[in-house]
Amino acid sequence: MSAAASRPPGFFAAAWVVARKDLRIEGRTKETLSATLLFALVVLVVFAFAFDLDTIRRMGPAQVVPGILRVTLAFSAIVGFTRSFRLERAREALTAVALAPVDRGAVFAGKWLANLALLAILEAILLPLTAVFFDVNIVASAGPLAFVLAVHSAGLAALGTLFGAVVSRLGRGEALLATLLLPAATPVFLSAVHCTAAALDGSGLASVRKWLLVTAGLDVLYFLVALLLFDALLED
């Protein structure tokens, strides 16, 4: 065996291996997607009964739909983040992950990529459902909406992956994850509501440029902090 072949993979290669492994498992089982989609559908149906179409048209979709969409995504994502370390918890494999000859940050980055991909799939399904339930035209604002969702999903996935690992180590579920995640991600949620409203009412993302810049900065901050804390988490 050559020296090159015996060397452990680098940061990006290891992260991709972890992400591909998680996505391949999800592709076979579809446990996380089915659970999150079912939860999201129930929440949307509840909101659809709470806000009739006449009320939404009178108030304007941009005043109501962003909050509904963000609440649905937030709580549905919690279900998914809780399950992101289910195999490691079930098989007590976190110790083996900590001892693997790869950068521990790469393990976090791979988990983050997998969660981000699943979050993107959830959003791609939820947007058309929201348009149907609340009679919102999202075709004209599809580009700005996609950009807003992408910017705000990165930070949420970073926090969700970190706190998902914490919950997994403690052997707890969605209740603890919600207690940790929702307060920490509040700035992202507030920004997402403002930016989604701007995309829907046609005012353009230039009007919420400050919110987008703040969110981009938070994305980087959340990712770097989570990267550092994940290393310490595996050492405990």
Side-chain angles (χ1 to χ4, degrees), residues 40-49 51-53 56 65 126-136:
L41 183 60
V42 170
V43 174
L44 281 181
V45 170
V46 170
F47 277 125
F49 278 100
F51 296 95
D52 58 86
L53 291 180
I56 293 177
V65 173
L126 276 186
L127 271 180
L129 289 177
T130 303
V132 171
F133 280 129
F134 302 103
D135 193 24
V136 182

Side-chain angles (χ1 to χ4, degrees), residues 47-126:
F47 277 125
F49 278 100
F51 296 95
D52 58 86
L53 291 180
D54 290 336
T55 300
I56 293 177
R57 288 166 184 161
R58 185 173 63 253
M59 298 179 62
Q63 300 298 319
V64 181
V65 173
I68 294 174
L69 181 61
R70 183 46 52 181
V71 169
T72 305
L73 283 173
F75 285 97
S76 302
I78 287 174
V79 177
F81 293 145
T82 306
R83 294 167 173 265
S84 62
F85 286 87
R86 67 187 184 282
L87 289 180
E88 286 81 357
R89 180 175 63 187
R91 302 179 182 179
E92 298 182 353
L94 280 179
T95 302
V97 172
L99 296 175
V102 295
D103 191 322
R104 294 172 182 177
V107 177
F108 167 80
K111 289 285 187 180
W112 171 76
L113 283 173
N115 282 332
L116 189 59
L118 293 176
L119 193 56
I121 295 173
L122 174 64
E123 291 166 347
I125 298 174
L126 276 186

